[in-house]
Each structure stands twice: as C-alpha cells, then as structure tokens.
Amino acid sequence: MDAQTGTSTHAQRALITLRQRILSGQLPGGTRLFEVALAEELAISRTPIRAALSQLAEETLLERAKGGGFVVRSFKLADVVDTIDLRGVLEGTAARYAAERGADAALLERAHVVLRGIDAVVSDQSIDMDAYSALNSEFHLLLAHMSGSDILQREIARVTALPFASPSAFLDDHTRIDTLQKTLGAAQDQHRAIIDAIEHRESGRAESLAREHARAARRNVEYLLSHEAALREGVASLALLSN
Amino acid sequence: MDAQTGTSTHAQRALITLRQRILSGQLPGGTRLFEVALAEELAISRTPIRAALSQLAEETLLERAKGGGFVVRSFKLADVVDTIDLRGVLEGTAARYAAERGADAALLERAHVVLRGIDAVVSDQSIDMDAYSALNSEFHLLLAHMSGSDILQREIARVTALPFASPSAFLDDHTRIDTLQKTLGAAQDQHRAIIDAIEHRESGRAESLAREHARAARRNVEYLLSHEAALREGVASLALLSN
DNA sequence: CCGGTGGCGCATGTATACATAAGATGGCCA
DNA sequence: TGGCCATCTTATGTATACATGCGCCACCGG
C-alpha cells in the first residue's frame, strides 16, 4: 500500500518514522514520548502508536518509564566506546568458536569471496563506499554465523543494531582518500588474519584478532570525538548521543 | 488491588501469569499465543494481553511471528550451554574491566562481606539454599557493577534473565549434601580468586577465572542432561527446554 | 507565612466494535 | 481424481470511548 516505506500497517510506518527520529537525534535521549501527541501528529490512533513504541523498546532504543510510558534511551560517550568493545568481545568469541568447533566450509568459501570483493573495492581509485559497506557487513555476518551458535549470533545482531556499533559505522566521515585507503587496507589485513586463524584452528589468535579489529573502530570514534564539533558534525551514527 | 501478585494492572498480572507458564514449560517452545484465546481465559480484554505479550518479547521469551502474532521461543540443549558460556564471556569481560579500570572501593568491600556470608552458609551443617542463592546472586551482580560499564551491566542482566543462565541456576538439584558442599566450596574459591585478581589489577587472570567459573555451571548442566530423565525431572530451570 | 488538603487535568489502562488480510476449506470443473 | 478458485473463518490491525490513577496547583486554615 505505502510505496514510500514499503510497509502496510500504520504501526509499521510509525515504527519506522519514530526510529528514524531517534537515530537522527531529532528526539534526544531522555525525551518522553506521549501516545496522544504522537497519535495526533501522525494522524493515527493510539493503538498502532503503542505497538510501535513496544517494538522500539525491544530494539533498546526506548526504555519503559516508571509508572508507564516510554523514554528515549540516552547514550553517553562512554557507552559508544563500551558498545564497540562489547562487539569486539562477542565477535572474538564467535571467531574462537569457529576455530574450536570448525567453521562450515561453505561459509569459509563465501568469506573468501567477500574478501576478494573488498580487495577489488579498496584498490579502486575512487572507493565505492556503499559497496564496501555491504561487503564489510556481510563479512561480519559470516563471522557470527561461523560460530555455529544461534545464541551468540543473536546477541551480536542485537548489539550491532545500534548505529554506532555497526561494523560499518563511521565509514562516511573520511575526507581524505589516502587515509581512508590506508584504514580500509589495515582492516582488510585483519579480516584475512581472522579467517586464517579460524582455518588453522588457532582459537586464541582468532579471538584476539577479532577483538583488536573492533578496537580499530573504537580508535576511530575516539579520534572523532576528540576533535569535537568540527568532525563530529555530520557523522550520522553519532547523532543520537546525549552530550 | 491484587494481593496475590502485588500488581495492580491487568497487563501486569497477565505478564506474570504467562511468564510463569512459559518458564514452567506449560507453554512449550513454538506454541503460538492467540490474543483472543488468552483474553477469554484470563477474563480480560485483548488490550492488556497485547501489552503483556510485547513485554515478554522484550524479555526474549517470545518472538514475533511473520505476519504478526507471537510464538514461544524454543531453546535447544545447545542453547543452554551456549548461553551459560556467553555469561562466562560477559562476566569475564566485567572482571577484566574491573581489574583494568579499578573497581569501586565500596563495591569491593561489599564483595568481601558477601564472600564471608557465603562462607558462613556453606560451612553450616545443613546448607540454607535460599540464603546461598541470594548471596551468590549478589556477588555476580557486584561483579557486573564493578566493571564500571553500564552497557556491559545491562547485557549481563539480559542474558542472566534466562532461568538456566542465572548464576544461581541448578542449585536445588543436589541430593547429597557432601557433593553439594564440595561444589559450593570450589565455586567460592573461584569467587575469592576473581576478587583477588581484580584487587591486584591482574586483568587477564580475572577474565580467565570468571570464564572458568561459568564453565563449572556448564559442567553441572551437561552432567544433568547426560543422565536424562532421571535427574532432569524436577529441575525447574530446564522446564522450558524443547526436547 | 506555611502546611495540608481538595480537586482538576492529563496520561496511561482497558474494553469493545469494526476493518482487513491471510489461511483453511469445500465444491466444482477439467 | 486432482487441482484450482471462491468463500468463509479467524486472527490481528485500528479506532474510539470510557476508566483510573497520579501529580500538580491552588486554596483554605492554622
């Protein structure tokens, strides 16, 4: 019905609208969301609004307030760093499991295909960031899958859902091409090393490498944040930060 | 209003009732929950039922079905083991952070008090399991708190919410006193070692110890499951398992 | 001037009627 | 006899009216 969003129900559209507003910082952390106000603004009834709010709470973007109601979750700078580190810990565990238990051959093969794809993108003169982002995301997805643990995979997906903890966060903020190429090249080296460790069943090495790989993303954030407004401006992934 | 459950709203009561049914295995994994049926049975309208179902989805006990509706999440045996291991990984990270960043003095002091309390309970002739359970839970809560990371603390709380991943799961299934006392004594040694490592800022040791501590719980589960029906019967924490 | 108390208003809780879409079912036709 | 289509059932989606409960503010009494 709704060609714009591709969804049919009011609740779905409200969910998408509100999520976008939270992620963009338009609804800052700590903001309380009132059902009636939202219902009037979106021109629908309270019922689909409540459904949307519930789902946003599942995504951890909202928290239930005491005595009912929802409040936009607020993220401090330390939370961003901790979440990225947490992703490193979880992906490290995934890599370790893959090495210990043995990764599925088809997944490993696909990983090599993805790695070659990233090579092609990075070596190109003008880097296609969308293509890189897609391939990078798939690599991290494959890594989680290789763990062979549904529980772990699910948990990684949860943490990764936060925009600043996504493997492909902070990719669109590199102004100079040479710096970007160097950064992506280093990340790619780590990708290769992780797969190599998994294939050689070196679980400790695999875990350490995956952790360190996330650490690079953390360094990137810390660099962005140390330069305050100048760089932080226009970094979409950080729009929902509190301070 | 409701003296039994101590809650006031219909949604709260429905939440408690349904959660109990899922955890007890009365509603097996894969069961689809129909709003109308539940509403009639609990003699309330669909609205509070939907509220309760949403909250159960937040607790990961329910999953949203394609095309709407909710299904009871099903846990395989491997999921139990993986979740306990995941707790170990997360608590290991908490212990490492505490060692690296330095734990709050008040929390450390409280931890020592708890450890002395556990000593008293364990050395007693007939062990007061409720007292042990409460102290053990508090110890693990303190550990998460010592990490100094809200993100990590929250994630540990999420994982720990599952009954079989709780630090105090599988405590009421020990028939012989001597075995129990030995088990709890070993766990207590690990508790002490973890705190010692944190106090001496030995982060690697702290992380390893916390992981191994969870591993003990995992061994306990694997033992229970290897003896099938005989032991598994009557272990409340495992009631919601699929097979 | 201060403290308590009453009421009022707002936000969520609840019930219910109606809309809609997807799946089950039965019959009909090839 | 098998497959397809219409229809009907059923479950969720949505709107709306009413209930409830809590907090705030003002007013009154000391």
Side-chain angles (χ1 to χ4, degrees):
Chain A
M1 180 183 282
D2 192 68
Q4 298 284 334
T5 59
T7 53
S8 53
T9 71
H10 288 162
Q12 288 291 311
R13 285 192 287 275
L15 172 64
I16 290 170
T17 301
L18 293 176
R19 185 195 289 126
Q20 189 273 329
R21 287 189 189 179
I22 294 170
L23 296 181
S24 71
Q26 188 178 343
L27 289 172
T31 304
R32 177 151 182 189
L33 298 182
F34 298 104
E35 297 174 3
V36 273
L38 293 172
E40 283 177 15
E41 190 193 343
L42 301 182
I44 57 180
S45 78
R46 281 173 56 208
T47 311
I49 293 288
R50 290 184 72 138
L53 295 178
S54 292
Q55 284 201 245
L56 287 169
E58 282 178 51
E59 297 177 18
T60 75
L61 291 178
L62 294 183
E63 293 176 331
R64 290 184 187 271
K66 49 122 189 137
F70 294 91
V71 174
V72 178
R73 183 173 171 193
S74 50
F75 294 98
K76 301 189 296 288
L77 301 186
D79 294 334
V80 174
V81 172
D82 283 354
T83 305
I84 293 173
D85 257 19
L86 177 59
R87 170 166 67 83
V89 168
L90 294 176
E91 288 186 337
T93 304
R96 175 165 61 85
Y97 280 3
E100 287 171 355
R101 307 175 176 184
D104 185 272
L107 293 176
L108 276 172
E109 190 178 352
R110 179 66 196 156
H112 282 292
V113 171
V114 170
L115 288 180
R116 282 194 293 274
I118 294 180
D119 277 337
V121 170
V122 172
S123 64
D124 196 8
Q125 194 69 7
S126 66
I127 297 176
D128 180 350
M129 289 310 291
D130 287 339
Y132 178 85
S133 185
L135 288 167
N136 185 56
S137 292
E138 187 182 352
F139 177 85
H140 284 264
L141 219 60
L142 282 168
L143 180 59
H145 203 323
M146 278 185 231
S147 72
S149 166
D150 290 343
I151 296 287
L152 187 55
Q153 207 176 337
R154 180 188 290 250
E155 215 57 30
I156 289 175
R158 282 189 63 83
V159 170
T160 288
L162 292 173
F164 49 77
S166 150
S168 296
F170 314 116
L171 286 177
D172 25 87
D173 50 287
H174 288 265
T175 45
R176 304 184 312 182
I177 301 283
D178 56 341
T179 301
L180 176 60
Q181 213 151 19
K182 190 178 165 190
T183 301
L184 297 188
Q188 175 73 330
D189 287 343
Q190 290 177 320
H191 288 166
R192 280 233 153 69
I194 291 169
I195 296 298
D196 183 76
I198 290 173
E199 287 177 328
H200 288 80
R201 315 295 287 263
E202 299 167 286
S203 61
R205 179 177 166 230
E207 178 167 15
S208 301
L209 283 167
R211 278 198 191 181
E212 190 59 27
H213 184 55
R215 191 81 180 203
R218 173 175 157 172
R219 274 192 297 273
N220 197 356
V221 177
E222 287 172 334
Y223 175 77
L224 285 173
L225 295 179
S226 67
H227 288 66
E228 283 304 322
L231 279 175
R232 200 173 139 190
E233 211 78 7
V235 179
S237 314
L238 294 176
L240 77 167
L241 253 66
S242 292
N243 305 328
Chain B
M1 180 182 281
D2 192 66
Q4 298 283 333
T5 58
T7 54
S8 51
T9 70
H10 286 162
Q12 287 291 312
R13 284 193 288 275
L15 172 64
I16 291 171
T17 300
L18 293 175
R19 185 195 290 126
Q20 188 273 328
R21 287 190 188 177
I22 294 169
L23 296 182
S24 71
Q26 188 179 342
L27 289 172
T31 305
R32 178 154 183 189
L33 299 182
F34 299 106
E35 297 174 3
V36 273
L38 292 172
E40 283 177 15
E41 189 193 342
L42 301 182
I44 57 181
S45 80
R46 281 173 56 207
T47 312
I49 294 287
R50 289 184 74 138
L53 295 179
S54 291
Q55 286 202 244
L56 287 169
E58 282 177 50
E59 297 177 17
T60 76
L61 291 177
L62 295 183
E63 293 177 330
R64 289 182 187 273
K66 53 135 185 112
F70 294 90
V71 174
V72 178
R73 184 171 169 194
S74 51
F75 293 97
K76 302 189 294 288
L77 301 186
D79 293 335
V80 174
V81 172
D82 282 355
T83 305
I84 294 173
D85 257 18
L86 178 58
R87 170 165 69 84
V89 168
L90 295 176
E91 289 186 336
T93 304
R96 174 164 63 85
Y97 280 2
E100 287 170 355
R101 305 175 177 185
D104 185 270
L107 293 176
L108 277 172
E109 191 179 350
R110 179 66 196 156
H112 282 291
V113 171
V114 170
L115 288 180
R116 282 194 293 274
I118 295 181
D119 276 338
V121 169
V122 172
S123 65
D124 196 9
Q125 196 68 8
S126 66
I127 296 175
D128 180 350
M129 288 310 291
D130 287 339
Y132 178 86
S133 185
L135 288 166
N136 185 56
S137 292
E138 187 182 351
F139 177 84
H140 284 263
L141 218 61
L142 283 168
L143 181 59
H145 203 322
M146 278 186 232
S147 72
S149 166
D150 290 342
I151 296 286
L152 187 55
Q153 207 175 335
R154 181 189 291 251
E155 217 56 32
I156 290 175
R158 283 190 63 84
V159 170
T160 289
L162 291 173
F164 50 75
S166 150
S168 297
F170 314 117
L171 285 177
D172 26 86
D173 49 287
H174 288 266
T175 43
R176 303 184 313 181
I177 301 286
D178 55 342
T179 301
L180 176 60
Q181 213 150 19
K182 189 179 167 189
T183 301
L184 298 189
Q188 175 73 332
D189 288 343
Q190 290 177 319
H191 288 164
R192 279 235 151 68
I194 291 169
I195 296 299
D196 184 75
I198 291 172
E199 286 178 328
H200 289 80
R201 315 295 289 263
E202 299 168 286
S203 61
R205 179 177 166 231
E207 178 167 15
S208 301
L209 283 167
R211 278 197 191 181
E212 189 59 27
H213 184 54
R215 191 81 180 202
R218 173 175 156 172
R219 274 193 296 273
N220 197 356
V221 177
E222 288 172 333
Y223 175 77
L224 284 173
L225 295 179
S226 67
H227 288 66
E228 283 305 322
L231 278 175
R232 200 172 139 190
E233 210 79 9
V235 179
S237 314
L238 294 177
L240 78 168
L241 253 66
S242 291
N243 305 329

